[in-house]
Amino acid sequence: MKAIRRFTVRTVLPEQLQPLHELALNLRWSWHPETRELFRSVDPEVWAAVGEDPVRLLGEVPAARLAALATDRRFLRRLGDLSDDLRDYLAGPRWYQSAPPTGDGSGPLPAAIAYFSPEYGIAAALPQYSGGLGILAGDHLKAASDLGVPLVGVGLFYRHGYFRQSLSRDGWQQERYPLLDPDELAVTLLREADGTPCRIDLALPGGRTLAAQIWKAQVGRVPLLLLDSDIEANTADLREVTDRLYGGGSEHRLLQEMLLGIGGVRAVRTYCRLTGHPEPEVFHTNEGHAGFLGVERISELVGAGLGFAAALEAVRAGTLFTTHTPVPAGIDRFDRELVARHFGGDAALPGVPTDQVLALGVESWPGGDSKLFNMAAMGLRLAQRANGVSTLHGEVSRGMFSGLWPGFDAAEVPITSVTNGVHAPTWIDPAVVRLAAGELGLERAEDAMATGEARRWTGVERIGNGEIWDLRRALRSQLVDEARRRLRASWRQRGAGDAELGWVDAVLDPDVLTIGFARRVPSYKRLTLMLRDPVRLRSLLLHPTRPVQIVVAGKAHPADDGGKRLIQQLVRFADDPEIRHRIVFLPDYDMAMAKHLYPGCDVWLNNPLRPLEACGTSGMKAALNGCLNLSVLDGWWDEWYDGQNGWAIPTADGISSTLDPESPEAERRDDIESAALYDLIEHQVAAKFYDRASDGLPHGWIAMVRHTLVTLGPKVLAGRMVREYVERLYAPAALAQRELAGSGHLGARSLADWKTRVRAGWPAVRVEHVEAEGLAEAQELGSTLTLRVQVSLGALEPGDVDVQVVSGRVDETDGISDAVALALKPTGGPDLDGRYRYEGSLELCRTGPFGYTVRVLPAHHLLASPAELGLAALPAETPGMDAGLLR
């Protein structure tokens, strides 16, 4: 029989144990080993049965056990100490509270930052994530908490989370969506002072209203606000808006993103009103899903008396947009008419005309589709600052979005990069921490993991080879046990009986080189590249003296049958009785599995199509545990591979990175790169792992492990990442926001008026004449050219522009690369024809083909980048552009 109603019966804790509630409801327990150990000691069997979830533990532990603990003085002392430790952590000053003002030091760091993301991977017990974007967002919040950064997280509460994965008998992915009960999770309902639940309302077409309540998860010092539409005030279809992550059709996704962006801003305002938390000065949009937050903030300012143009400038100044996708297909795009319907008529936001909303998302560049609304384009237009998530990804993003800044080379597109990091206390196995603490001391080790300020983890060099090797074997053994347990459970789900599964006890070997591969399964990540030559792979797995074993995990999107076929192909290969002890696919990849995978693998494999991996943080988590990376030079590995911390898989860069796996180019590319992968594993990776000295230790391998920990450890930390965001992006954004908001938004009004005047007058701006004194066919290195330029500015003034000479190496088409811009100086007022004269000197500081041009750009002290308006005036013809050979 099926229950007609479901509810949770909570355990009533004895008064002495009340601090357990406080500890359970702050998700700091997910990265604090001492707190986790306290909960485990409450009842080890129940702790394991509830998936190491403190909230569920307290709901299921027998009352007799709680009564016994209430009189256990040793347990109560530990409980009191950990409760005091949490209060100190929440209230005490941390890095942010003592960090000096950045930039020109003219003002304090932001009072608060609002961080918006569609998903968050905080803990397996709060399944509100699907993959790397959510895990990154969770690590961002945790690192901000450790550093004391006053962040407020904003997301959606998905009643079904992301799907749970299992396999059919023939290896086809199957999905199920368990219903999440908030009463069994580490969340609390945000309530008004009178105890009623807070409610957020969004106007929809046809006079309908989308309502949501707000769940708060406490992530250390950081509140995470999650909006939930599953309330009685909504109709049945609107209750399902927050049903599952990345589910539903186009309108369903649009409603989710409206609720995240517009509703999210209102949730932040509500939270600050109720708690006294400082209002955010900076809004950080983690991918385009939350882009409508800027439209809501414009509406707020228009309602306060500001015009639309000035409100747009005020919003842009305090907004940061982070892009995570290197491919246009990864961007949410909606039908323009669908967006118009949801932002027009009775659904319109006050003060924000529908045509202005549509203009924010229009694909105005050559090749763009004018019928679509592009969420990334809106995110970039609403943010004065933007970044990619690795150095290479920043470069790719500048090229991908260059159409938004016509007249500028991709290198000048105002998108910087902050390379992602991972939260070390979450992802480092406690055994690794203990080993490091033996040399560094526990306090120093914990501080190094949290702040990410050290350039090297000095002291780790002193750890002995034997200690490192013993640790690596112990972690490998731990993974083998976990893999066998999961594999047995998977085969039972596939219909096998215990009598068929005796072989599982011999799966994997704690003394065999172990390679891990775990991630989402879109085609560009190439899950099955390792299967390109099955005979070659078998020979590696079954090598008589240097065998390899592979642990694979990953989920395909429920609508991606191509990804599901890749999983099925790998599962069928791994099901072969001859090799199934050497390669396994573990279904239902999540944070709980990952915590065993990363430490237990010797090598972390990543073989995407370059440059389609924005960052690839799984390899960072592996590196923190002494695992070596074997990866295509993409994402973070492209900038931090040094030849001693792993191996770079060669790529066929001259062949197109087409995503069609059946195209001839893709076939040839995959053949070349898979052959290179096999060669690396056989002749370098396995050879080094099994190269043992007389003491039985692979000293060369251990040296690479030690080098990885010493040099990569500090780089890959989320603490380093968040500090970069604070210093390079949050602080400048807050300063810009304050300057535009001061004196009744006088700066925003002035900047908006200036932009309007410049855009109107720009068609009349021209470079009329360029001459160079001392130019010859061949110039000597170190010589100087004197440049004289005449420009017409129309109705604009010299103070509105910057006249520059741009020089650098030129190619056979006279295209300038490695360009350097130098400002020219005006030499007086306008001549009789209204033209202004500018002069300057150009030093020839490099040899080879060299060239220059001249341009005029808008200039204003409140612009974050000269390219901000996307306006540039260049010579119609370019006298002086002849490329001379310099000697």
Side-chain angles (χ1 to χ4, degrees):
M1 289 183 292
K2 200 170 184 179
I4 61 172
R5 187 175 180 186
R6 174 193 175 97
F7 52 90
T8 298
V9 180
R10 288 188 176 273
T11 301
V12 178
L13 290 178
E15 182 179 353
Q16 300 91 325
L17 301 182
Q18 285 299 318
L20 284 172
H21 270 312
E22 178 187 7
L23 293 175
L25 289 176
N26 192 308
L27 286 156
R28 186 198 182 210
W29 59 256
S30 67
W31 72 90
H32 194 249
E34 291 85 353
T35 303
R36 292 174 61 83
E37 177 56 31
L38 177 77
F39 281 117
R40 191 198 69 81
S41 70
V42 168
D43 191 316
E45 290 187 5
V46 176
W47 176 247
V50 298
E52 301 185 355
D53 179 347
V55 175
R56 290 181 59 198
L57 170 77
L58 296 182
E60 298 190 23
V61 67
R65 175 58 180 163
L66 292 175
L69 289 173
T71 60
D72 185 331
R73 288 184 293 176
R74 184 178 178 184
F75 180 86
L76 294 176
R77 279 196 302 270
R78 291 173 63 201
L79 175 59
D81 289 344
L82 286 170
S83 181
D84 290 343
D85 179 74
L86 177 60
R87 293 192 183 98
D88 290 344
Y89 174 86
L90 297 177
R94 305 190 75 79
W95 171 83
Y96 194 85
Q97 284 65 47
S98 60
T102 58
D104 61 5
S106 61
L109 294 175
I113 302 104
Y115 181 90
F116 286 64
S117 178
E119 53 175 300
Y120 289 91
I122 308 293
L126 187 64
Q128 301 289 302
Y129 61 94
S130 71
L133 178 69
I135 300 299
L136 180 279
D139 283 5
H140 195 109
L141 265 57
K142 293 173 186 177
S145 174
D146 289 343
L147 294 170
V149 179
L151 213 68
V152 177
V154 183
L156 300 179
F157 181 80
Y158 304 98
R159 288 285 175 151
H160 295 279
Y162 201 50
F163 70 91
R164 302 297 302 271
Q165 179 196 46
S166 59
L167 300 173
S168 69
R169 186 74 188 204
D170 66 352
W172 187 256
Q173 173 179 292
Q174 298 178 318
E175 302 96 23
R176 65 188 190 281
Y177 291 88
L179 180 65
L180 300 177
D181 181 355
D183 288 336
E184 295 179 347
L185 302 174
V187 296
T188 55
L189 196 60
L190 194 64
R191 296 180 181 275
E192 297 287 351
D194 62 2
T196 59
C198 298
R199 177 171 147 175
I200 304 298
D201 289 343
L202 268 65
L204 298 181
R208 305 177 75 202
T209 299
L210 171 61
Q213 60 189 3
I214 307 166
W215 296 99
K216 180 178 74 74
Q218 193 66 37
V219 187
R221 298 166 70 114
V222 174
L224 171 58
L225 309 177
L226 302 171
L227 287 97
D228 174 16
S229 70
D230 188 15
I231 59 177
E232 292 183 0
N234 286 324
T235 57
D237 60 324
L238 295 181
R239 292 185 73 155
E240 294 179 354
V241 166
T242 55
D243 58 349
R244 60 187 62 176
L245 182 58
Y246 303 142
S250 185
E251 184 168 12
H252 187 86
R253 290 287 294 275
L254 178 62
L255 290 174
Q256 284 190 339
E257 297 186 7
M258 290 174 62
L259 183 59
L260 174 60
I262 300 169
V265 172
R266 297 175 185 178
V268 169
R269 303 302 187 208
T270 300
Y271 178 77
C272 293
R273 171 176 58 82
L274 291 172
T275 65
H277 192 286
E279 291 282 352
E281 295 184 274
V282 177
F283 284 75
H284 184 173
T285 309
N286 191 42
E287 252 311 337
H289 309 83
F292 290 121
L293 71 86
V295 182
E296 167 67 9
R297 292 172 57 218
I298 290 173
S299 180
E300 288 180 331
L301 291 174
V302 172
L306 212 57
F308 180 90
L312 172 61
E313 297 306 327
V315 165
R316 291 186 73 253
T319 302
L320 166 65
F321 175 76
T322 297
T323 174
H324 288 262
T325 179
V327 290
I331 297 170
D332 275 350
R333 302 159 81 204
F334 297 105
D335 183 270
R336 178 183 172 90
E337 294 305 316
L338 177 66
V339 176
R341 189 164 71 251
H342 283 79
F343 283 87
D346 53 2
L349 287 173
V352 184
T354 307
D355 61 335
Q356 296 282 14
V357 175
L358 296 176
L360 291 170
V362 66
E363 295 188 351
S364 56
W365 52 87
D369 189 338
S370 61
K371 296 180 181 179
L372 294 179
F373 184 94
N374 187 303
M375 293 296 289
M378 177 178 66
L380 289 164
R381 288 185 174 115
L382 284 172
Q384 196 175 52
R385 289 163 180 81
N387 70 284
V389 292
S390 69
T391 299
L392 179 59
H393 180 237
E395 179 183 333
V396 170
S397 298
R398 288 188 287 275
M400 187 165 74
F401 295 112
S402 60
L404 287 167
W405 290 272
F408 291 86
D409 291 340
E412 295 184 290
V413 166
I415 299 176
T416 185
S417 62
V418 175
T419 301
N420 282 344
V422 297
H423 185 246
T426 294
W427 300 110
I428 294 185
D429 191 275
V432 180
V433 177
R434 288 193 295 269
L435 182 63
E439 289 293 339
L440 305 178
L442 182 59
E443 185 174 346
R444 184 181 164 204
E446 290 178 344
D447 182 67
M449 289 192 299
T451 63
E453 291 185 290
R455 294 190 177 184
R456 292 172 62 90
W457 279 354
T458 304
V460 173
E461 301 101 322
R462 297 192 296 269
I463 300 174
N465 283 2
E467 293 176 279
I468 290 177
W469 190 241
D470 288 345
L471 172 66
R472 292 300 315 149
R473 189 187 188 281
L475 296 175
R476 204 180 305 117
S477 297
Q478 181 177 287
L479 172 59
V480 168
D481 292 342
E482 179 69 6
R484 290 173 180 173
R485 183 186 69 79
R486 287 179 176 269
L487 191 64
R488 184 179 296 276
S490 173
W491 272 100
R492 284 174 175 157
Q493 287 182 318
R494 295 173 69 181
D498 288 339
E500 302 175 68
L501 299 178
W503 59 272
V504 172
D505 293 332
V507 163
L508 305 181
D509 184 329
D511 292 309
V512 168
L513 170 63
T514 304
I515 298 176
F517 183 102
R519 51 190 36 87
R520 290 186 304 111
V521 190
S523 58
Y524 78 87
K525 292 181 182 283
R526 296 193 295 183
L527 169 71
T528 56
L529 186 69
M530 67 181 75
L531 302 184
R532 196 75 188 165
D533 184 345
V535 174
R536 185 83 186 273
L537 179 56
R538 282 173 178 269
S539 70
L540 293 173
L541 297 172
L542 302 176
H543 195 283
T545 58
R546 299 201 303 261
V548 170
Q549 59 192 15
I550 306 176
V551 182
V552 185
K555 294 179 177 180
H557 188 280
D560 182 10
D561 282 351
K564 293 180 184 180
R565 280 191 291 272
L566 296 177
I567 291 175
Q568 185 179 49
Q569 184 182 349
L570 191 137
V571 169
R572 286 177 170 175
F573 179 85
D575 283 351
D576 187 333
E578 290 188 8
I579 58 171
R580 63 189 181 187
H581 64 298
R582 287 282 188 258
I583 180 169
V584 297
F585 180 87
L586 304 180
D588 209 24
Y589 179 46
D590 65 358
M591 292 182 72
M593 182 194 297
K595 287 189 176 185
H596 290 91
L597 268 179
Y598 299 132
C601 290
D602 300 294
V603 174
W604 196 256
L605 175 62
N606 190 26
N607 46 231
L609 286 176
R610 188 181 192 272
L612 303 184
E613 183 79 275
C615 186
T617 53
S618 62
M620 294 179 170
K621 302 175 188 111
L624 282 174
N625 288 281
C627 178
L628 305 180
N629 275 266
L630 171 62
S631 176
V632 165
L633 286 175
D634 203 359
W636 75 275
W637 191 236
D638 181 72
E639 63 192 274
W640 288 337
Y641 165 67
D642 67 6
Q644 300 177 62
N645 51 16
W647 295 269
I649 302 171
T651 51
D653 291 332
I655 301 177
S656 170
S657 292
T658 175
L659 293 178
D660 179 4
E662 297 180 359
S663 70
E665 288 181 323
E667 294 278 344
R668 181 165 166 255
R669 178 199 61 223
D670 288 355
D671 284 341
I672 293 171
E673 296 185 8
S674 62
L677 173 61
Y678 298 137
D679 285 344
L680 269 176
I681 293 174
E682 180 175 5
H683 301 300
Q684 295 190 42
V685 180
K688 186 172 285 289
F689 182 86
Y690 289 106
D691 181 15
R692 307 296 167 87
S694 57
D695 58 4
L697 299 179
H699 293 281
W701 185 277
I702 295 169
M704 293 180 72
V705 171
R706 183 183 288 107
H707 176 76
T708 292
L709 291 171
V710 170
T711 61
L712 269 185
K715 291 180 180 179
V716 302
L717 296 182
R720 183 270 313 156
M721 173 189 71
V722 171
R723 285 191 301 103
E724 284 193 40
Y725 273 111
V726 169
E727 295 164 355
R728 293 175 47 205
L729 295 167
Y730 293 164
L735 291 175
Q737 190 273 336
R738 291 170 195 153
E739 189 161 3
L740 266 64
S743 302
H745 286 95
L746 181 62
R749 299 173 198 269
S750 173
L751 181 60
D753 291 344
W754 177 84
K755 284 188 175 182
T756 299
R757 182 167 59 84
V758 167
R759 288 189 177 108
W762 199 256
V765 176
R766 294 187 301 275
V767 178
E768 300 281 6
H769 181 70
V770 181
E771 63 180 61
E773 182 179 298
L775 182 64
E777 285 296 318
Q779 302 286 149
E780 290 188 355
L781 182 65
S783 60
T784 300
L785 301 181
T786 299
L787 298 177
R788 299 183 180 90
V789 180
Q790 286 183 324
V791 299
S792 293
L793 299 180
L796 302 184
E797 300 291 334
D800 296 325
V801 302
D802 188 15
V803 180
Q804 300 177 339
V805 56
V806 181
S807 63
R809 192 178 304 278
V810 293
D811 58 23
E812 62 277 2
T813 65
D814 286 344
I816 299 175
S817 61
D818 299 325
V820 175
L822 175 69
L824 301 177
K825 295 181 179 180
T827 60
D831 61 17
L832 295 177
D833 296 320
R835 296 176 299 185
Y836 291 85
R837 183 168 175 164
Y838 288 77
E839 293 185 357
S841 298
L842 175 60
E843 182 180 355
L844 306 180
C845 57
R846 66 177 73 186
T847 59
F850 187 87
Y852 71 86
T853 189
V854 172
R855 67 182 180 185
V856 185
L857 304 179
H860 193 287
H861 75 283
L862 291 176
L863 297 182
S865 162
E868 186 169 314
L869 275 73
L871 298 175
L874 299 166
E877 295 181 359
T878 51
M881 268 297 290
D882 299 324
L885 291 176
L886 307 185
R887 59 181 187 271

